[in-house]
Amino acid sequence: MKFLKKTGGLTRALAALTVVLAALSLQPSAAQAAPRPVVGGTRAAQGEFPFMVRLSMGCGGALYAKNVVLTAAHCVDGSGNTTSITATAGVVDLQSGSAVKVRSTKVLQAPGYNGKGRDWALIKLARPVDLPTLKIATTTAHNRGDFTVAGWGAVREGGGQQRYLLKATVPFVDDATCRQAYGSDLVPGEEICAGFPQGGVDTCQGDSGGPMFRKDDTGAYLQVGIVSWGEGCARAGYPGVYTEVSTFAADIARAASGL
Ligand code: ARG
């Protein structure tokens, strides 16, 4: 009787311990966000952002013209007749058989680019692709509000590149707030920041060169930024830093017409 009682107590204790252990082991996975795109994003639908381009050096880009991709200066080696870059367009799935793949013929890195600010470059394609282009902002009017970012880059710091295009929404962060994170590393006239104060959603390695965009007053997508840099990815207090496209719109247009 005594023995049986003891056994019953032990059984109950073990059962209770099992529940506690299960709860403890469940907690980290339940609290941890599921791996999501671009850090905190979701999958883009096929055709949702038809201007998105993946570049073979591992960057993103956007179709500025049918035969010109706008990307980041830090994604290219310099300017010249570079034929080694392949642009993949027209698909969210990079392994899709219907992907449009075109080689580069020329690269133009932003004149005077030295690693600080001015992070834009143009890539001329060997032939025009039959896909919609993305207009660039020519004024600061839309450098506010919520922005969409997209890319095939890492979903966490140190993570791998993605097969499927991911998208996320990030709010504008003003220069003063962004300066609190980056001090004099930020070039306010040439860079625009975006992200949540608590982090969690951001572009990351491999998204560079891709567009940050929103809708304009007519409902058309307008590119306001180019994925450039950040301290880690999606960290609290460290917004993503993007090339401020409106600052360079005239330079980009001039450069494109001379490509
Ligand atoms: N420089 C990175 C690249 O080459 C992009 C980093 C963006 N980082 C960020 N926290 N928003 O892909």
Side-chain angles (χ1 to χ4, degrees):
M1 197 61 178
K2 216 177 170 189
F3 185 73
L4 273 172
K5 233 179 169 176
K6 220 174 176 179
T7 307
L10 183 63
T11 303
R12 279 194 297 275
L14 278 172
L17 186 63
T18 304
V19 169
V20 169
L21 283 173
L24 282 173
S25 66
L26 271 175
Q27 212 168 15
S29 53
Q32 203 173 57
R36 290 186 297 174
V38 172
V39 189
T42 54
R43 286 265 291 270
Q46 175 60 37
E48 189 175 3
F49 309 122
F51 43 76
M52 283 295 309
V53 171
R54 175 69 171 181
L55 298 169
S56 52
M57 84 293 276
C59 276
L63 285 173
Y64 173 78
K66 302 257 183 215
N67 64 342
V68 180
V69 174
L70 177 58
T71 186
H74 82 261
C75 287
V76 300
D77 281 337
S79 301
N81 299 323
T82 305
T83 57
S84 58
I85 300 169
T86 300
T88 302
V91 287
V92 292
D93 176 5
L94 293 178
Q95 289 173 29
S96 165
S98 37
V100 176
K101 296 193 181 201
V102 188
R103 304 276 287 201
S104 61
T105 56
K106 280 183 181 181
V107 171
L108 186 128
Q109 192 178 44
Y113 173 70
N114 64 1
K116 192 175 162 82
R118 224 179 288 185
D119 195 7
W120 64 269
L122 293 175
I123 294 174
K124 187 172 186 179
L125 303 177
R127 61 177 176 85
V129 296
D130 191 18
L131 287 164
T133 58
L134 179 58
K135 287 190 300 179
I136 64 169
T138 56
T139 73
T140 58
H142 296 92
N143 295 355
R144 61 184 67 248
D146 286 343
F147 305 125
T148 301
V149 288
W152 290 269
V155 300
R156 64 178 68 81
E157 284 184 35
Q161 300 295 293
Q162 300 296 301
R163 171 175 172 175
Y164 297 97
L165 180 64
L166 301 171
K167 63 171 178 176
T169 303
V170 280
F172 170 73
V173 171
D174 65 65
D175 288 337
T177 304
C178 200
R179 264 237 142 105
Q180 288 171 19
Y182 297 121
S184 58
D185 285 346
L186 184 75
V187 187
E190 303 185 6
E191 294 172 323
I192 177 171
C193 303
F196 294 94
Q198 72 274 24
V201 184
D202 198 5
T203 45
C204 201
Q205 268 53 47
D207 292 322
S208 276
M212 178 168 80
F213 50 97
R214 51 162 286 171
K215 286 188 171 166
D216 67 10
D217 306 326
T218 73
Y221 282 127
L222 184 69
Q223 183 172 1
V224 299
I226 301 169
V227 180
S228 184
W229 61 281
E231 177 66 35
C233 304
R235 296 189 190 177
Y238 290 96
V241 184
Y242 299 79
T243 309
E244 191 162 353
V245 166
S246 57
T247 301
F248 301 104
D251 294 339
I252 291 168
R254 199 176 318 112
S257 64
L259 258 190

